[in-house]
Amino acid sequence: MKKLLLAAVGLFVCGCAVENSSDVSQDRIKTSYGAVYSAETKDITFSATFTFGTTYLQLDGNSSVAVDGLTMQAKRTIINSLYYQRVVPADTETEYQKKYELSYVNNDGQTYENSLTLPPELILEPVPASVPVSQPLVIEWTTGEPVQNMRVAAWLRYVDEDSIKAFSVESTMENDSSGSLTFSADKLAAIYPHDPTLEVCVIDERDDPVAPEAGGSISISSCTAPVVLTLEQ
């Protein structure tokens, strides 16, 4: 979700071109997949984006993309970029831990399949509802098993003059089952007097999916339920 929005920001001024996938060489289509689990909704949002250079592609002809056999639906953003999405419930431990299968079929009849599992779910130490801006905010987290070669990131988002702004901190974990992230007092002071929303995610990124010659990427995240904080001087 967040990664898609951030990627779109740079294209806001010029907009985005969209073409049919059947109009381009199939081996030059780049595939980008995403999966984000939300502890708030207990859902996994799967996404897929297909591009030819800087052009977004709409799957047509015999092309399709699915997760566990469920067809992903085309979505357009306000800047005319195009991606595919499917929301799958994961409100049980079995659904959270299972292996999901992403399948893309191109117009040459070639099938590209990728299996993915969600990262270990994050558990946060209690965060006070009221946070003084005169001292750093330390976010402590644990997982049920070690986090290997992934990132843990935290965001403080707030609304300022009708736009959403954010500060983030992150760290890379090699083989850890606990850790902490710190927002400095300077960052908190820059947000005050707004009340920010805290969200923390563990992120597994890969750049070697089963894909056409153009390559692609996969980003898999598990995110905590958002918590609204009150900043105090």
Side-chain angles (χ1 to χ4, degrees), residues 182-195:
T182 301
F183 288 96
S184 68
D186 289 343
K187 287 185 177 179
L188 298 181
I191 298 173
Y192 183 83
H194 304 284
D195 294 335

Side-chain angles (χ1 to χ4, degrees), residues 6 43 67 108 160 202 209 223:
L6 290 173
D43 289 331
V67 54
D108 290 338
D160 185 21
V202 55
C223 300

